[in-house]
Structures are given as structure tokens and as C-alpha cells.
Amino acid sequence: MLAAHPAVSQAAVIARETPGGGRDDAATAGRQLVGYVVPVSGEVDPAAVRRYAGQRLPEFMVPVAVVVLDQLPLTLNGKLDRKALPTPDFAGGVRYRAPSTPVEGTLAAMFAEALGLDRVGIDDDFFALGGRSLSATLLVARIRSTLGVEVPIRTLFDFPTVAGLAPRLAVGGPVRAPLVPWERPERIPLSFAQTRLWFLHRFEGPSATYNIPLAVRLTGKLNTDAVAEAFADVIARHESLRTVLAEDGGSRTNGSCLPGRRRSRCR
């Protein structure tokens, strides 16, 4: 997709180690996609190439950085020499420019927190600094909770700098109402998915279509009490494992088992 950009003649994308992405390092640590491009003539803007890819590819397929080369390094056999590809400069070489408004200052602090950096200038590209999908999601969530503005994650991909994103906050949508608990009825109506499975069961009869068999081989002495306790904890934590479907006067309803850490009793 990078090679489809009108200013790019050749392109290659490889997975390589990248710097941390903030508080979600444990989830995103490891290899990330890095793009290498050769311009048709003159120069090509790496940020523009990333935006071009971001408009046509899912987020996880967009390189975290794009490096411009005079030519792609090749081996003696004429194949791409991956080891000769340079390490990208995630700092981007952009001169630091401090925030000039309170909104820019707040956004810059959020950028830095999401990226695990000490500071971020208003011209620094979030993804060029190592931002990833999870850290982008974290940033959007912080904007929602702190500034009360709903910013689609696509907007962050289109405007990955503080200077570019700040003006878009004025046109951001209102924050969605938070989820709050409702009074629980005695009998809960089935969801559409549950109704479908109930209908198939009534139409076809007992079936193993949706069963997922799994075999686990254990070695050594087995503590059966510990295994039973572990299963009981999982069942107590997930209500779907304690739910039965009951017919009441021809209608279908959910009948949840009573929660309990050690035992559960269905009503």
C-alpha cells in the first residue's frame, strides 16, 4: 500500500523492535511494523505516506514509522537486505515547540503520558514517537475523561500532532453517557443472540454444533480441591456461566444462577 502513494516508487515494510508505547508497554512490547520508501523523485513526506496508508488500511497494518531511502538495500541475490535497513528515528528530528494555549498544554501532557515520555512538542507526531493502537486508544480515552470531548481514533490518525488535533476538539462530539447499573428484574429477557440459539435448539433438537472440545494433559500430582476452587471462582466471576434459559408460559427468559464463590444454585 505504501508503494501505491503517487510520490513513492518502491516500498518495503518489516517488523522490528520499537521503543515503548507508554503504560501499555506490557501489551504492545515487541516487534512493530516499520515502512521504508524510495521517492519517485526529490523528496516525500513520511507523515503524508503514513496518513495515506492509514486511510486505506486497518490500524494494526499501518507502520508506526516511515523511513525515506535513496534506494532499498539488496542482497547479492537481488532480494531485500533486511539487516541493512536503518533503524527509524522515532524522535522524527522535529524541533521542540512548546504549547501556546491551555488546550495544547493539556494535550501535550496527555501525549507524553500515553507515550511514556517526559515531554512532547506540539509538532511531534504521536505515531512517529512510537505510538501504537493501544496507546492511541489510551490517549482518546484520556481526552474523553479529561476534556469531555469524544474524539474518534481515526481523527488521531489523521491529525497525530498536538497542533493538528487541538483545533479538532472544538468540533468533537459530546461524550457518550457513562454506563450505569439498572435495577435488575427477576426475569431477564433474552438477547437477540440468545433467542437465535434457543430457536435453533427448538428447531433442530440437541446439537453439539456450538460445543468446543478441549483436552488438557496434566502431569504430576493434581490438587483436585484447588482445581475445583479455581473453576468455582471463574463461574462466580462470569454470570454467563451461571445462566440457564427457562420457558415461562411459552416465552423465553434468562434465569441466572445465584452468585456464590463456592457454590451456585439455579432458580
Side-chain angles (χ1 to χ4, degrees):
M1 183 55 67
L2 299 185
H5 190 282
V8 174
S9 62
Q10 292 180 298
V13 177
I14 68 169
R16 66 184 310 157
E17 298 293 333
T18 58
R23 293 185 338 198
D24 60 342
D25 278 347
T28 60
R31 303 171 70 82
Q32 298 292 322
L33 296 179
V34 175
Y36 297 86
V37 298
V38 176
V40 173
S41 61
E43 299 181 356
V44 60
D45 182 8
V49 176
R50 281 198 75 260
R51 288 194 296 270
Y52 180 87
Q55 294 169 356
R56 293 162 175 80
L57 295 172
E59 297 167 10
F60 70 92
M61 295 181 65
V62 179
V64 297
V66 173
V67 180
V68 180
L69 302 175
D70 293 332
Q71 60 182 9
L72 295 178
L74 303 177
T75 65
L76 295 178
N77 296 327
K79 297 182 179 180
L80 179 66
D81 188 352
R82 297 173 177 267
K83 295 182 179 180
L85 291 171
T87 302
D89 177 15
F90 289 96
V94 178
R95 182 177 180 181
Y96 174 79
R97 190 156 68 100
S100 58
T101 67
V103 172
E104 288 183 348
T106 302
L107 276 180
M110 293 180 184
F111 271 51
E113 180 183 10
L115 293 167
L117 302 176
D118 294 332
R119 71 174 188 177
V120 171
I122 64 173
D123 297 318
D124 294 332
D125 188 300
F126 180 82
F127 299 100
L129 292 175
R132 304 163 188 170
S133 294
L134 286 181
S135 50
T137 303
L138 171 65
L139 176 59
V140 169
R142 286 300 307 275
I143 293 174
R144 181 189 305 119
S145 61
T146 304
L147 300 178
V149 180
E150 194 72 44
V151 177
I153 195 169
R154 174 55 60 185
T155 302
L156 179 59
F157 274 85
D158 293 337
F159 304 96
T161 66
V162 171
L165 186 61
R168 273 74 194 175
L169 298 184
V171 297
V175 176
R176 291 170 292 182
L179 296 177
V180 295
W182 285 58
E183 183 179 352
R184 185 186 183 93
E186 178 68 18
R187 291 290 184 176
I188 307 173
L190 297 185
S191 66
F192 292 120
Q194 289 172 325
T195 301
R196 172 179 175 272
L197 292 177
W198 174 87
F199 174 81
L200 291 175
H201 174 74
R202 298 289 290 173
F203 183 74
E204 298 178 350
S207 172
T209 301
Y210 291 94
N211 291 355
I212 302 178
L214 175 66
V216 178
R217 184 185 297 275
L218 302 176
T219 59
K221 186 177 180 180
L222 179 63
N223 187 333
T224 55
D225 291 337
V227 173
E229 292 290 322
F231 274 106
D233 286 343
V234 173
I235 293 172
R237 187 178 304 117
H238 300 282
E239 187 174 1
S240 60
L241 301 178
R242 298 181 278 106
T243 300
V244 296
L245 305 184
E247 292 188 11
D248 186 2
S251 62
R252 290 83 59 199
T253 59
N254 275 344
S256 297
C257 299
L258 297 176
R261 187 171 179 81
R262 299 294 179 258
R263 294 187 180 89
S264 295
R265 177 174 59 84
C266 294
R267 62 178 183 266

